[in-house]
Amino acid sequence: MRPMMPPPPGMRGPMRIGPGPRGFLTETEKQQQPKLTKDLLYRILKYLKPYKWHFLLVFVALIISAVLGLFPSVITGQIVDSIIDTNTSLNHLAKLILFAFIVLSASQIISVLEQYINSWISQKIIYDMRNEMYDHLQHMPHSFFTNEKQGDIITRMNSDINGVSSVISGLLTSIVSNFLTIIVSVFYLFYIDWRLAIVGLIVLPLLIVPTHQVSKKRWSLLSLSQEKHDLLNQQINETLSVSGSLLVKLFTKEKTEYENFRKINDETTKITIKEHRAGSWFHVMLGMFIQVAPLLIYFAGGFLIIGKTDTNLTVGDITIVVALVNRLYQPVRMLLNLHVDFVRSLALFSRIFEYLDRNRQIENPENPIKPDLSDANVEFCDVKFSYETTKPILKGIDFFVPNGQMYAIVGTSGAGKSTVIGLIPRLYDTSEGSVKVSGVDVKDFDLSYLRTNIGIVTQDTYLFNGTILENLLYAKPDATMGEIEDACKVANIYDFIDKLPDRFDTVVGNRGLKLSGGEKQRVSIARVILKNPKILILDEATSSLDSVSESLIQSALNRVMVGRTSIVIAHRLSTVMAADKIMILENGKITETGTHDELLKISEGYRELYETQFRRVIDYENSKNSI
């Protein structure tokens, strides 16, 4: 709903915090309304504390602005009295008008200065909070990002923290500004004439309460209208997208979808018209009543002057009272909505603090160590792990991978293979037992040192939306072009890059989508080579690739694994057969360990896995060779 009159210079206008309509809490907001506690308030104030002197300057500016805001009304009254008084010279009238102009100009300058400082404070606080949040999220465990919705994380980082700007530059100063305006205006009203002040203040609630009620009705209709618009947008998005429109055509549902759209569109139109029409007659009456309110003050003032009840009261005084009462309407209406804005601001801080209070879980120990990794063996000692306490994933894993050897892990989907390798660089921590590298528990390692010495190549390769060179330098920012080219040659990707028009400056696109799966995989392998890790982990690195890409990547991996301790999760028989040892993971446990030939003889589980997963690949390759 539009305010009935514009706010005077320097007065805070409406502020919007959060998703709900101004002046009213949605049902969801009411249910999730945070409680104001001493700890929460203290925590919020900690962000404001570094800028306390800047805030003091803002509040001083607000006080000056509130006082200066009186002058236009006062000077207007004096001008009226000067015009009525026939003895007043034009020179005096000109001085009053000049003084009014100077006061208005000063008020505007102070207002601009206050808003500038306020904006600077709010942006600095956002800067601090965003840095703190990003740093905190960077150190959250991998499980946090697998469990949380990416949209929620982005909302916390952007929308919620940006909303703090409205709280600092809007809510806080709005409270002070409007409160000061009311105090100064009411004080001066009673200073001029207490009787006219009472008449004006009695009228004020009669203007505000009905306005609030009609606004509430309009917002309820607006909420319903928004729901219908959401349905309309959903219908458009689903049926006019490439996939949606194709589905409609294939099932000949054009008429059905049109009828659905027409029905929702009809409901939306009717509710929107009703919402626009709501309170229209009330606003007509309210507009008339607003004009009546000054008339009542004029009548009361006229009664006092004409009846000579108060010989000191002037027409100018009555004019000042009317102007000041009008000046009170906006700040009073805004302070009535203070509860709503306050609850929404608390909700913003609560959502931000809820993330900041999440336990990082995986952090450096108090005294981290950097042991010698010349003998980079990997050992699992009775390792147990569960994402949820009621659902154990690993149920006592024991194995030892000697330095420089390659061990393969095979098993059915969901057996826990990826979980096993995620424990080595501490993407997760064991629930029980220990994971050791070079005989040292990984929980005692300096975390950065540990991860620097582990290279991981996964099936789902991730590249940043930058150039090939930028993605490679992510592993080693100070790498020379010679080192980069050598790494690409080992990864069987140099010839491809060399033929590109922009070579290493080629932009790979979002998630590397401008490259094929095999090309992305080889770039990621080159990136790992630049890292030069002691331990190499391959998580289905050649899965779902064509035979040419697989051959190039397998050749690259064979060169990379030389001299490195390697643990491989593989669905390709060639990779499994090249392993020094094969570990069978079933139902969270290592059931058998041996070479390919040994396991075929002693393990029924491996033979079944061989027949179901690997035999198809062999038959397929043999059929291609026979053509």
Side-chain angles (χ1 to χ4, degrees), residues 367-373 375 377-379 424 434-446 449-450:
N367 299 301
I369 60 176
K370 299 179 179 180
D372 178 30
L373 296 180
D375 183 16
N377 54 67
V378 177
E379 183 178 7
I424 302 173
S434 62
V435 177
K436 297 180 179 180
V437 173
S438 295
V440 179
D441 194 320
V442 293
K443 293 180 182 178
D444 296 327
F445 269 74
D446 176 90
Y449 178 75
L450 173 68

Side-chain angles (χ1 to χ4, degrees), residues 210-229:
T211 302
H212 188 76
Q213 293 301 318
V214 172
S215 295
K216 189 173 183 179
K217 181 180 179 181
R218 284 197 64 186
W219 280 123
S220 64
L221 289 171
L222 184 61
S223 298
L224 184 59
S225 173
Q226 186 60 51
E227 290 178 9
K228 295 298 181 182
H229 274 99

Side-chain angles (χ1 to χ4, degrees), residues 207-487:
L207 300 176
I208 295 170
V209 175
T211 302
H212 188 76
Q213 293 301 318
V214 172
S215 295
K216 189 173 183 179
K217 181 180 179 181
R218 284 197 64 186
W219 280 123
S220 64
L221 289 171
L222 184 61
S223 298
L224 184 59
S225 173
Q226 186 60 51
E227 290 178 9
K228 295 298 181 182
H229 274 99
D230 290 342
L231 289 175
L232 206 64
N233 290 334
Q234 181 179 341
Q235 175 89 1
I236 293 170
N237 289 334
E238 288 183 348
T239 60
L240 296 185
S241 64
V242 175
S243 301
S245 62
L246 179 61
L247 191 66
V248 170
K249 286 178 171 59
L250 294 177
F251 285 87
T252 64
K253 294 293 183 180
E254 291 90 345
K255 187 174 182 180
T256 302
E257 295 299 343
Y258 170 75
E259 286 300 321
N260 290 337
F261 180 84
R262 188 197 59 76
K263 182 180 178 181
I264 299 172
N265 193 21
D266 181 58
E267 293 172 353
T268 303
T269 303
K270 289 179 179 178
I271 293 172
T272 303
I273 292 173
K274 191 175 181 180
E275 183 260 318
H276 288 162
R277 194 172 54 200
S280 56
W281 284 107
F282 167 80
H283 290 308
V284 173
M285 297 300 296
L286 188 62
M288 295 174 62
F289 190 73
I290 288 175
Q291 300 304 318
V292 170
L295 295 179
L296 293 176
I297 298 174
Y298 284 130
F299 177 80
F303 175 81
L304 295 175
I305 293 175
I306 295 172
K308 297 183 180 180
T309 305
D310 189 343
T311 55
N312 293 322
L313 188 67
T314 67
V315 175
D317 292 336
I318 299 173
T319 304
I320 294 172
V321 170
V322 171
L324 291 179
V325 168
N326 286 336
R327 188 170 185 258
L328 285 173
Y329 176 76
Q330 180 76 356
V332 168
R333 189 178 72 86
M334 292 191 66
L335 289 180
L336 286 175
N337 293 328
L338 175 62
H339 170 70
V340 175
D341 291 336
F342 188 68
V343 168
R344 288 178 179 159
S345 65
L346 284 184
L348 281 178
F349 281 106
S350 296
R351 282 168 55 83
I352 293 169
F353 294 156
E354 190 269 330
Y355 259 30
L356 291 176
D357 289 339
R358 296 281 187 95
N359 190 351
R360 291 188 179 184
Q361 298 177 353
I362 298 175
E363 294 188 281
N364 262 342
E366 289 186 10
N367 299 301
I369 60 176
K370 299 179 179 180
D372 178 30
L373 296 180
S374 56
D375 183 16
N377 54 67
V378 177
E379 183 178 7
F380 275 57
C381 303
D382 193 27
V383 170
K384 297 177 182 177
F385 176 82
S386 61
Y387 295 104
E388 301 174 11
T389 54
T390 56
K391 296 181 180 180
I393 304 298
L394 304 181
K395 305 171 184 178
I397 300 290
D398 288 283
F399 66 81
F400 181 84
V401 182
N403 178 55
Q405 292 200 14
M406 190 264 276
Y407 274 42
I409 303 176
V410 298
T412 57
S413 178
K417 301 186 295 294
S418 295
T419 303
V420 169
I421 63 173
L423 293 170
I424 302 173
R426 289 192 70 195
L427 297 179
Y428 316 101
D429 271 343
T430 60
S431 302
E432 295 181 37
S434 62
V435 177
K436 297 180 179 180
V437 173
S438 295
V440 179
D441 194 320
V442 293
K443 293 180 182 178
D444 296 327
F445 269 74
D446 176 90
L447 191 57
S448 178
Y449 178 75
L450 173 68
R451 292 176 177 172
T452 298
N453 283 283
I454 297 175
I456 300 179
V457 180
T458 64
Q459 175 188 355
D460 184 20
T461 301
Y462 189 91
L463 298 180
F464 291 109
N465 190 2
T467 65
I468 294 174
L469 181 61
E470 289 169 341
N471 276 279
L472 293 172
L473 289 175
Y474 199 72
K476 188 179 180 182
D478 59 348
T480 65
M481 279 308 299
E483 291 175 320
I484 291 170
E485 290 176 357
D486 288 343

Side-chain angles (χ1 to χ4, degrees), residues 189 195-205 207 293 297 321 325 328:
L189 275 172
R195 294 158 298 189
L196 294 181
I198 291 174
V199 171
L201 294 178
I202 288 174
V203 171
L204 197 62
L207 300 176
I297 298 174
V321 170
V325 168
L328 285 173

